[in-house]
Every structure is written in C-alpha cells, then in structure tokens.
Amino acid sequence: MMTAILTFEELKSQVASGLTDTVLACFVDMQGRLMGKRFHAVNFVETSFSETHCCNYLLATDLEMATPDGYASSSWEAGYGDYIMKPDLETLRPVPWLDGTAMVLCDILDHQTHEPISHSPRAILKKQIERLEKLGFEAKMATELEFFLFEKSFDEIRKDGFRDLQPISGYNEDYHIFQTTKEESVMRPIRNHLFAAGIPIENSKGEAEAGQEELNIRYAPALDCADHHSIAKHAIKEISWQHGRAASFLPKWDKDRVGSSSHVHQSLWKDGKPVFFDQSKDHGMSEIMCQYMSGLIKYAPDYTYFLAPYVNSYKRFSKGTFAPTKTVWSVDNRTAGFRLCGENSNGIRVECRIGGSDLNPYLAQAVMLAAGIKGIEDAMRLAPATTGDVYQDASAKDIPHNLRTATETLRSSKFLREALGDDVVDHYTRAAEWEQEEFDRAVTDWEIQRGFERA
Ligand code: ADP
C-alpha cells in the first residue's frame, strides 16, 4: 500500500485549526460509485473514524436505487439491516475541489461478525490480491478513464429529457491540443485537484470523438489503482458539474459515435521487479506472463459481465471502432481484446481492451487477476498472437454479444464460482438479470420511432 497522503494525525491537527471541517466516509457500491456520509470533521476524528454504518441494501441496489428481490444477502424479509463501514485510514486524502473537505474509503463488514462482506467490491478485489500474494506476486494495474464532456450540466440535460445532447467540442479531437485547450477550464482542475489528492495523474488527452476525453493515471498496486479510478471518476463528474458541464461514462450514448472504454493495463511483480519481462523469450514475454495471459484470454467470456455490466455496455462492441469483439491477443494491435504493450522492455504488460467506461474497477481487476492466477496455476500455454484486422478473423472466439449471454456465461462459470465463491457469483448474476428485466420492461425511443406510424 501507498502511505496515506494525509495521515490521521495530520487530519486531527487540520480539524483542530479549522482547516478541515468535513470528512466524506465513502465506500464503493456494485456500480463503482462512491456512497456514504458527510461527517462533521470533529465527530469523525473523535469517534466515527473507527466505524460507521449503512443500510445493507446499498450493495443490492441498481443505478436508480431500486431494491430488487432475489438477493440472498439483503431483502425485505431479512429487514434490510446495517453493515459496518470501516474507514481504511490509509486512504485518507484531501478533497481539494471542495472547501475544507477530506475523504476516506471504507471497507464493508458484517454487523455481527465484523467479517468482510464477500460481495463488496473492495473485498472481492482484496481476496484475489491475497491469492496472488500466496503465489509470490504483486499486481500493478492502470485503468484508463474515457468519457464525454457535454456543453450543459446534468441537471439541465435531465430537465430537457436527455435530448439534443451537445458534446463540448464540434469535431473528433483525438490528440488535439487546440480543441483540448478550449476544455482546460474543466480538464485542468480535474488533473490538478486529483494530483493534489494523491492520485498520480499522468495526462489527459482528447479522444477519437467530439467531446471525448481520456484521463491516464500512473499504474499502481491493484487496490490503489481501483481506489484511484473510483475517486477520479467521481471527481470528473463533480468538477465538471462545478463548471456547469456534464461528464458521462455511459459507454455508448449515440449509435453513430464511438463508445467510451476503460482499458486495463496489467503486470505482475516480485520483490519490486517486473516478472513479465524475460529478455531471452519472444517479444520479451516471460513464461509467467504467457500463463497469465492464457488465463485472461481463456476466461474472458466468463468474466465479460464484470467489464460490461449493463445493456448499453454491449452497444460499444462493434467492428471498426477500436472496441474489441474477439478474445485473442496481438502485439500492439488495437483490434484485439488483449494487446501486448512495451514488448522487449521492463515496461512489458498486457492491456485488456474489452472493458467499457462503466466498469467497476474493483470487480474488473479482481476477475482478471483470478483468470491470470488460474493461467499460472494450470501452467497454461499461450496461443500464438493474431495479426492483422482481428475483426475479420472468423476463427477467433467472440466475447458475449449482449448482457443476456454474458449473464448466462457468468452463472455457469465453474472457474468464477471457484475463484470468487458461489455467493458472490449468485449475487452479481442477480444484478445482471435484474438489469435485463428492467430493460425488457422499457419501451424505447427506437421502438416508438420505428413503429409508431409504420407498424
Ligand atoms: P499508451 O501508449 O497505450 O497510451 P502509456 O505509456 O500512456 O501507453 O501507458 C498506458 C498506461 O499503462 C498508463 O496508465 C501507465 O501508467 C500504464 N503502465 C505503464 N507501465 C505499466 C506496467 N508495467 N504495468 C501496468 N501498467 C503500466
């Protein structure tokens, strides 16, 4: 773990001097959002730093806070009791974009036993990190954040019925400096405030659509990486809101524009040294790297749900958009699901390109670590790299095309049931089913436009 950017002692003295008056105690829900409470800082440093509580429905709700049936962990019958929110004081940090405010991330524990709640995203990732440690390795990860900036704010857009959405720029701004200069009123505070909050920002850049942005954060141990991602995503929305703009992480908001992804870069380390690099092997890929990647590729269909958790997520996977459709790997080729980066160097790593901007980074990293671990445990052999336009390769295995298929693959995944536990797989399978059930009840704009007159 990184040492805390703000120690508890420092927080106490900031509170005593009046510099900090508010502490956000947050945990990450199934959707990857920060949920929690805003504490008066005096209360936090005197008592609540040790624990606080929340309703257990918060890890069994959908995006709209509905309370679906079918969860073993929380229900009306069981009375929706409490969980313990246990602040992880290693994650204390200032929130520079809000006045007088600090933040801490919490682990979710059982109210009676004080054991971690197994389906809590942070607990799911910690379990796989521990499994990896038992094999002698540490994972370092980087998750890229892509999103769209819109001219208007969320509140204005909602009042307008989410119609006539205008992205902040008029043209594809991939790597553009002039267009991104026009967006600096939002992007500069995002970079600088996050950096001051201890999140090692590398850069932001324009992406390959009008209004599309990418934020890159330096790779870090897996848990830190997921914490960074969740806080950064939250900050991007909040800082954009402060400037009267909306930042959307919906993977596909317009069928004719490319979607937003969250690529995940992965490498394993031992005693501070990268173990994916072996100069004597093809591309510099060590045996451990090949085994890890074989697991990643073999089990990609099983865990696709965790990289694409909504109906909309699957609209991103289309040919010729840089979003992958096949579970194969290739060398620095952006049409495959897995791309080898940094070949023949210490920085050698695998980038998974399947995940959408809506992924929960804890869950995404956990399931990919589990797949990599399985590859190592079974000493799996890596198939040769694919070359050329992978979209056209009929022999390459497809990732699930829609949420329904991904849900069934998840439900019947022996590998994930062994790695995560039946309770966790059942919990998320229910979340996936519910998402589909809600969509199946909806009457969409598309149906009205297509059939209103002509049906
Ligand atoms: P690209 O050319 O694909 O944009 P970058 O050099 O910008 O590649 O790196 C992309 C991401 O990969 C960055 O977030 C970076 O921190 C991360 N990264 C670099 N080296 C490693 C590594 N060894 N393991 C995991 N992630 C890494």
Side-chain angles (χ1 to χ4, degrees), residues 140 142 144 202 217-219 265-267 269 334 339 347-349:
K140 294 199 183 177
E144 300 174 4
E202 289 187 339
I217 302 173
R218 189 177 159 76
Y219 65 99
H265 292 256
Q266 312 170 39
S267 60
W269 298 62
R334 288 187 163 81
R339 179 168 76 113
I348 194 166
R349 59 192 182 273

Side-chain angles (χ1 to χ4, degrees), residues 6-8 10-16 19-27 34-50 52 85 87-89 91-95 98-106:
L6 175 65
T7 65
F8 191 46
E10 284 164 350
L11 176 67
K12 281 198 261 190
S13 65
Q14 286 186 6
V15 176
L19 206 61
T20 297
D21 56 62
T22 300
V23 178
L24 309 180
C26 309
F27 70 94
L34 298 188
M35 306 300 255
K37 304 179 188 174
R38 312 182 98 92
F39 278 91
H40 194 287
V42 171
N43 174 283
F44 184 82
V45 296
E46 284 177 358
T47 53
S48 300
F49 71 92
S50 71
T52 175
M85 291 170 61
D88 175 352
L89 295 178
T91 67
L92 257 182
R93 48 174 34 90
V95 181
L98 299 177
D99 290 338
T101 302
M103 171 194 286
V104 72
L105 295 179
C106 302

Side-chain angles (χ1 to χ4, degrees), residues 327-340:
T327 76
V328 293
W329 75 281
S330 69
V331 182
D332 200 9
N333 173 339
R334 288 187 163 81
T335 65
F338 299 89
R339 179 168 76 113
L340 177 72

